[in-house]
Amino acid sequence: AEVLFKAMKGLGTDEDAILQLLIARSNAQRQEIKAAFKTLHGNDLVDNLKSELGGKFESLIVALMTPPIMYDVTCLRDAIKGAGTDEKGLIEILASRLPNEVNEIKSLYKREHNDDLEKDVTGDTGGNFSRMLVVLLQASRQQGIQEDLIQSDAQALLAAGEQKYGTDEGQFITILGNRSNAHLRRVFEEYRKLSGYEIEESIQRETSGTLQEVLLAVVKCARSVPGYFAESLYNAMKGAGTDDQKLIRIMVSRSEVDMMDIRAEFRKRFATSLHKTIQGDTSGDYRKALQLLCGDD
């Protein structure tokens, strides 16, 4: 707390001291530092940081100071209440979080905003996309692998899509929304044997728009959550421009979960490192902070 106070005191700000210290601490430790700062100086650490820092670097540091479930709640709230709906933000969080995390998110959302997350989501989305998000919000994925359902699930998906004129989206929603990841991996294997297609290919042919996006995200997470985030990070930085909102959201929310695995998946899939990609796509204190979060090259 004292180091941070000194870094912000007087003229100018020692951004380097701030980022080196905060990134070297866990989120739980940052909460303790925040409490100590208030005790010592009677100021809110986050308010002070906001007034001293700016731009993307400020957004990143403020995100790091937010407890994880609270951060998800804030991101979801922004995705719903901002100008227009950030469907990609909704998909990323709801498709990748564990059932117990989704339940914590729902109750904290209610406590913070006195609104029902499910109502807010359905009020802002429509059709089958909305139905799939509601299923994910129920957080009632089954546990383990149900051997007796693998074959019938694969056949049901085939009958609902490739073998049907039109598509029975409801089947995709029910099966992809309610089975465990381990179970789904077995279903995808069986599906490939039955149809000769990967499930992703069929989803791309049979569905479109935001429903397609959420179904593909669920499939990718079932196959590998770190793989899903590696791909999302790559997409946030490839081509002209950077989706900084997404970059910050993923780097912060996965920093204490599976960053090492994401780095390994990134290298495996894109023949370059996450560290190098950040290097080429960002600059200044923002870049330095992201690279520290990423860890070594």
Side-chain angles (χ1 to χ4, degrees), residues 60-289:
L60 176 62
I61 293 294
V62 170
L64 284 168
M65 289 301 304
T66 314
I69 297 291
M70 186 63 198
Y71 184 56
D72 281 348
V73 166
T74 306
C75 290
L76 287 169
R77 184 74 174 181
D78 292 346
I80 295 165
K81 297 292 177 194
T85 309
D86 172 17
E87 287 95 352
K88 287 180 171 52
L90 288 178
I91 290 169
E92 181 198 296
I93 294 172
L94 296 179
S96 65
R97 299 302 187 259
L98 300 165
N100 61 315
E101 292 169 333
V102 174
N103 285 324
E104 287 178 42
I105 288 166
K106 285 192 296 194
S107 50
L108 186 59
Y109 189 95
K110 181 108 189 130
R111 248 198 342 268
E112 284 296 312
H113 302 294
N114 206 17
D115 281 326
D116 182 64
L117 178 56
E118 190 182 312
K119 271 208 187 78
D120 282 354
V121 166
T122 50
D124 230 39
T125 58
N128 286 313
F129 174 54
S130 185
R131 285 173 64 196
M132 184 61 178
L133 294 181
V134 169
V135 169
L136 294 174
L137 279 166
Q138 301 318 299
S140 54
R141 272 194 192 282
Q142 294 144 354
Q143 301 292 302
I145 297 171
Q146 290 150 295
E147 293 290 344
D148 51 331
L149 286 179
I150 292 169
Q151 186 83 27
S152 57
D153 281 351
Q155 276 160 345
L157 289 171
L158 191 54
E162 298 284 0
Q163 291 175 346
K164 189 178 165 67
Y165 181 71
T167 308
D168 173 4
E169 293 91 354
Q171 275 291 8
F172 281 86
I173 290 170
T174 302
I175 293 173
L176 295 177
N178 288 299
R179 305 287 190 260
S180 74
N181 285 349
H183 180 87
L184 286 174
R185 289 195 291 275
R186 294 281 300 278
V187 172
F188 302 158
E189 209 178 306
E190 191 58 37
Y191 184 87
R192 192 180 63 232
K193 284 181 201 153
L194 286 174
S195 68
Y197 304 122
E198 293 292 357
I199 187 76
E200 289 90 336
E201 298 173 73
S202 295
I203 290 171
Q204 275 160 338
R205 267 196 294 272
E206 296 292 327
T207 62
S208 62
T210 46
L211 174 67
Q212 182 186 95
E213 284 180 44
V214 69
L215 292 176
L216 286 173
V218 167
V219 168
K220 285 170 186 168
C221 286
R223 289 194 190 277
S224 161
V225 172
Y228 169 69
F229 282 116
E231 196 176 306
S232 299
L233 285 168
Y234 181 78
N235 290 333
M237 293 184 278
K238 76 162 197 246
T242 305
D243 184 344
D244 290 293
Q245 205 183 351
K246 187 180 192 176
L247 182 54
I248 291 170
R249 191 172 59 223
I250 297 173
M251 293 301 290
V252 170
S253 62
R254 308 316 286 184
S255 61
E256 292 179 47
V257 184
D258 49 9
M259 187 56 70
M260 298 291 281
D261 299 325
I262 291 170
R263 273 166 40 181
E265 281 292 333
F266 195 97
R267 192 180 278 282
K268 197 162 87 191
R269 290 171 188 222
F270 306 111
T272 181
S273 71
L274 177 56
H275 198 274
K276 275 198 188 72
T277 309
I278 291 169
Q279 174 77 28
D281 232 60
T282 57
S283 62
D285 294 316
Y286 177 56
R287 173 204 284 171
K288 200 184 279 182

